[in-house]
Amino acid sequence: MPRTLVTGAGGMIGRATVDHLLARGVPVTGLSNVPFAAPVGARVVIGDARDPAVVAGALDDVDAVIHLAAIPSPLADPPEVVFALNTQATFTVLDQAGRAGVRRVALASSYAICGLPFAPHRLSMPYLPVDPALPLQIHDAYALSKRVDEETAAMAHRRYGMTVVAMRLPFVGDTGRLTAAAERFRTEPEAGANDVWSYLDARDAGRAMVAALSPAEPGRHVVYVAAPETLAPYPTDDLLARFHPGTPRPSFPGRMAPIDLTLARDLLAFTATHIFEVRSA
């Protein structure tokens, strides 16, 4: 059976993605720049996703790619390193995949591409809910790298006829990470304003990346995914009135996440199933 290559397989989302593929009976090759405890049945390649020779070797017998390898924020590395590593890895993986005849790719983009999470000063949303047409306000190297990654996906689609889905992932966490964030948003709701308090369980992130390999329509797509409710214990409308005043928007009942998830549902048949139980305020 043809296998799927998962880059960044040793990371949190990478591990969840590999687990989900193996559970479905799909052979997996996991590419990682550091050794990791791979599940039984996964082939492991240790190497740099920026290296064409490493990537070409990892693509042996592969018919689909899930590209996750990246520096996940601009906070721990110099901006020139974040931008250069992320964009070079994405170009190398997609270009080598195209040359190898791979025609299905899911790419990890980010909600942070909107510009708010890592901006040096407070920004306002142009409108809500967040959707793929939202004007971007990029102020940092990480968001810029994701914008270039999405343009690389467009290039791969045009050059190789590849179907590529760029998934704009929100804050992703396991139970411990989500618990800590939820508690912070309970006591400091302003801490989640730039992310509109959105999140996704790592297991759902893995499912979403796999779903992105089989969109209902071929082509190049950009899709937001998130849990349907926020990680804050307060009504969404109250939070938005306080932290995004004046932003054009409809009403969001209860704790509804102010992100348009229609495309994830209609194009990918994906909805989050691991919903975090938020403690009341």
Side-chain angles (χ1 to χ4, degrees):
M1 181 184 294
R3 63 180 50 239
T4 295
L5 170 64
V6 179
T7 72
M12 178 177 57
I13 301 175
R15 295 193 304 271
T17 302
V18 170
D19 287 345
H20 185 62
L21 285 165
L22 291 175
R24 296 180 59 182
V26 179
V28 176
T29 295
L31 173 61
S32 174
N33 63 343
V34 294
F36 68 102
V40 174
R43 174 189 171 210
V44 175
V45 175
I46 303 300
D48 194 325
R50 296 171 294 176
D51 186 331
V54 169
V55 174
L59 285 164
D60 187 38
D61 293 328
V62 163
D63 79 335
V65 172
I66 296 176
H67 177 51
L68 299 165
I71 295 175
S73 90
L75 301 179
D77 298 275
E80 64 274 15
V81 173
V82 173
F83 180 79
L85 187 149
N86 287 357
T87 56
Q88 186 177 358
T90 298
F91 178 84
T92 300
V93 170
L94 269 62
D95 187 58
Q96 289 298 317
R99 293 170 184 266
V102 173
R103 295 296 178 262
R104 297 185 298 136
V105 172
L107 167 72
S109 186
S110 174
Y111 165 92
I113 198 172
C114 73
L116 274 69
F118 301 113
H121 52 268
R122 188 69 176 270
L123 300 175
S124 295
M125 279 291 185
Y127 63 78
L128 290 168
V130 174
D131 65 18
L134 187 80
L136 306 180
Q137 304 178 74
I138 293 172
H139 282 69
D140 66 276
Y142 176 72
L144 183 60
S145 76
K146 291 304 177 181
R147 184 73 182 105
V148 173
D149 285 353
E150 291 186 4
E151 287 304 312
T152 300
M155 178 278 297
H157 166 64
R158 290 189 294 266
R159 183 176 181 88
Y160 298 112
M162 181 186 291
T163 288
V164 189
V165 180
M167 303 291 279
R168 290 186 177 176
L169 300 168
F171 175 81
V172 176
D174 55 16
T175 300
R177 197 165 188 243
L178 295 178
T179 298
E183 179 59 22
R184 187 180 182 197
F185 296 168
R186 187 180 70 82
T187 59
E188 304 173 52
E190 64 275 13
N194 285 338
D195 293 286
V196 291
W197 307 274
S198 60
Y199 78 96
L200 194 64
D201 186 286
R203 293 166 291 182
D204 278 330
R207 288 180 51 243
M209 296 306 300
V210 174
L213 292 176
S214 304
E217 297 289 339
R220 177 248 178 177
H221 305 282
V222 173
V223 180
Y224 279 96
V225 287
E229 297 181 339
T230 71
L231 205 52
Y234 308 105
T236 300
D237 281 344
D238 292 351
L239 290 169
L240 295 175
R242 182 177 174 188
F243 297 107
H244 292 282
T247 297
R249 61 177 176 85
S251 178
F252 297 98
R255 294 175 34 246
M256 180 179 179
I259 297 178
D260 188 345
L261 303 177
T262 305
L263 199 56
R265 181 194 66 209
D266 294 349
L267 183 71
L268 307 181
F270 173 82
T271 55
T273 58
H274 296 279
I275 309 302
F276 186 83
E277 287 193 27
V278 174
R279 186 161 69 95
S280 60

